[in-house]
Amino acid sequence: MIPALSSDDVERRLSVLAGSLSLSAADVRAVDTLRTLPIATARRRPRRGLRLAIALAIAVVVIGTGNLAAAYYAPTYGQALAAAPALGGIARPLLQFIGLTEQSAVALSGSATSSGHTIQLVAGSADGLRTVILLEIDGRGLTGKPKLYGTHPGDFAVVGGSATLSDQFGHVYRQRGGLGPTALEFDPLVSPASKVGARLTLHISGLQKQWLLPLRPNAPVPADIMLGGDWTLHATLIQASMHDLPLPAPVRTADGVFSVTLLRLTGSELVIHWTVSGPINDQVDRAFYGPGATGWTPALRQLSQRFFGLQIVDANGQPPVGGSGSGGEWDPGLFRGETTVTIGHPGRYQLQLADALSAPGQQRWITVP
Amino acid sequence: MVTASNSTDPSPDNTQPGQPFDFDAAFREVSRSAFLLARQLGHGPEKAQDIVQEAALSAWRYRAGRRGPFRPWFLTIVYRLCRRPVLDWLPLPAGWDRHVPPGITVRFDPDLLTALHALPTRQRAALWLRYCEDLSISDVARVMRLRESAAKQLLFRGREALRRKLTTKLEENQ
């Protein structure tokens, strides 16, 4: 006969559970990254009046010192990248993984040495969606098989959250999740740097010895895995042209209103934002926000597949050349979706705002110049 | 039994709104708890990290509107972001139910963790906040946007479900 567990037993066991937790290497990395995240200092901005004064002062200096300063603060003016060396030597699978091509990234140069290790800028890219910096550490990180990087002694990675990027106007760009050990992604450039070109300063304060990362999930992370330092690098990037296309009319049905809210073309990438409002959201609202919320059920999944997905094809019914990524989220009464596709050629493209909207007249056409 | 929340703790967590406040220090103290909460709510390490970062930026942006101690306030933001229904990729992935992805284990009492992970998300979150994060019942209610009575009921149901699962496991092992 097994003695029945009492509620007190359960409470006692629960209260000591946290003390014996063991995290995987990925979890430990994430916690460490979060601990070193400088939220307040990274987000602190000069006051509006101060920013205005700084901008005015910069404007005076630019006008007063003529073309030389203009070329510095506005790289597009000086065509600073006209003689940039061709991009090469970066493993193509890595570029593909990052979502870049040899055409969409520009070669960068410059290096800094600290704590006995050299970080070299190799390439970068800036569009309306993100800013990407690719670098090598001690000459490694971008060549060879990307999956093998980190397995050999000497394979370093930039510690997540240890890199800050700022432009010549003092704007600090937030680092996003790492694209790879030596590929850094930041928020897109903001005006005025996005308009006139950005002279960027990248500061890195920590490297991680990738080869020391334990392979087994629960193995302890060595204490000496981090390496502090002070690497400051400079790069010039000009944001790829970006423009918004005219929005098609919304599709109204008894189930709801399906609207495209943004069509933004950056190079060959098309970003589509769309929303679904109306009664079709009621079931999702009840499942997630109402009393006795059930979360996802098979019926709700089926509903979401029918009503919350956008398809795009060209005039011949073919999907765009590039893979598309889609996501979305619900707020009470409203679904917001986002899709990114790589457009192979200019022309007319058909948008079907949901699987359920297959009737004639429920599709919308857009023209990509 | 779990003691009430540590009201005499001099850490930045206890700083009240309006007082001089080191946001980064307070965030550092709560970041691990926030990350573990996101993990318990069914997100993988990368997603959990993203959620906590997003919560931190939101918290920084709206810090002037904070009511009460930092810790439950911040965990409320994390909980809300975690529970937001998100369509990650299309076509829809098969695993829509957010079971806790592997990665977190315990050195002692693995049956308890397994049983906890098998509970419905809200019960799991309530038990985790109460017993593993040592929040008071009123703070659990605040984080989960419930009345205290509802939080007590949720905790009771969670404990009972856990007790049944553990008893069943014991019987199976006999």
Side-chain angles (χ1 to χ4, degrees), chain A residues 112-171:
Chain A
T113 301
S114 176
S115 302
H117 297 276
T118 300
I119 297 180
Q120 166 109 33
L121 288 174
V122 177
S125 160
D127 55 31
L129 307 171
R130 59 182 181 162
T131 306
V132 177
I133 304 281
L134 304 181
L135 40 85
E136 284 185 333
I137 303 169
D138 297 333
R140 302 184 194 190
L142 299 177
T143 53
K145 291 183 178 175
K147 282 184 179 176
L148 292 181
Y149 188 76
T151 57
H152 302 106
D155 289 349
F156 284 90
V158 176
V159 175
S162 75
T164 57
L165 186 72
S166 58
D167 65 22
Q168 71 269 41
F169 302 105
H171 185 89

Side-chain angles (χ1 to χ4, degrees), chain A residues 31-39, chain B residues 6 8-15 21-37 52 56 69-72 74-75 78 132-133 135:
Chain A
V31 170
D32 288 345
T33 303
L34 287 170
R35 277 206 180 118
T36 55
L37 200 64
I39 298 292
Chain B
N6 40 358
T8 56
D9 183 0
S11 67
D13 180 29
N14 245 19
T15 308
F21 176 63
D22 184 345
F23 186 94
D24 277 345
F27 171 69
R28 269 196 303 277
E29 285 215 351
V30 79
S31 61
R32 186 175 189 271
S33 297
F35 176 81
L36 290 176
L37 175 63
V52 177
F70 184 83
R71 184 183 178 82
F74 186 76
L75 291 179
V78 173
C132 298
E133 293 302 335
L135 292 190

Side-chain angles (χ1 to χ4, degrees), chain A residues 119 135 137 149 156-163 175 178 180-184 202-208 210:
Chain A
I119 297 180
L135 40 85
I137 303 169
Y149 188 76
F156 284 90
V158 176
V159 175
S162 75
Q175 188 182 359
T182 57
L184 309 178
L202 174 69
H203 181 255
I204 295 171
S205 59
L207 298 180
Q208 180 171 281
Q210 284 294 88

